Amino acid sequence: MTLYEMAQEYRANTALLELRVKQLQAAQRRARQKEVKYRLKQRVSFLRMLINESRKNAFEMEHYYDRGGDAYADQRAV
């Protein structure tokens, strides 16, 4: 599997995570108990972190060979 193919897998999985976030947000709006709303909010927050990491990794894989392979090694993650 090439880096580009792996990046496409990351992008596909990111789309699934984004769909799950939308589902959890809808459940959060419908929830009546504060504890349930809080737990759903925490899950959404965690999934957003995973989404951001997945996007970052996909980008790095897609552009790995653009400038010698380690072009982004000295940059901080956002």
Side-chain angles (χ1 to χ4, degrees):
M1 178 179 276
T2 66
L3 285 177
Y4 182 77
E5 292 168 336
M6 280 202 318
Q8 296 309 308
E9 288 291 320
Y10 269 77
R11 298 264 184 217
N13 289 331
T14 300
L16 293 174
L17 291 172
E18 290 170 341
L19 175 63
R20 185 63 181 148
V21 164
K22 288 181 183 180
Q23 292 170 342
L24 291 173
Q25 288 173 332
Q28 187 180 6
R29 285 190 296 271
R30 290 190 308 268
R32 295 177 188 258
Q33 298 173 350
K34 288 184 179 183
E35 179 66 24
V36 172
K37 285 185 178 195
Y38 174 77
R39 289 178 187 254
L40 290 170
K41 182 179 177 181
Q42 293 299 317
R43 289 172 64 186
V44 166
S45 176
F46 180 73
L47 286 177
R48 284 189 175 143
M49 287 186 336
L50 291 177
I51 289 168
N52 289 336
E53 284 295 317
S54 183
R55 286 179 180 158
K56 177 183 161 276
N57 289 335
F59 177 83
E60 288 181 359
M61 284 185 245
E62 289 168 345
H63 298 280
Y64 184 78
Y65 296 108
D66 289 354
R67 293 189 284 173
D70 60 353
Y72 303 102
D74 61 343
Q75 294 182 0
R76 287 181 42 141
V78 177

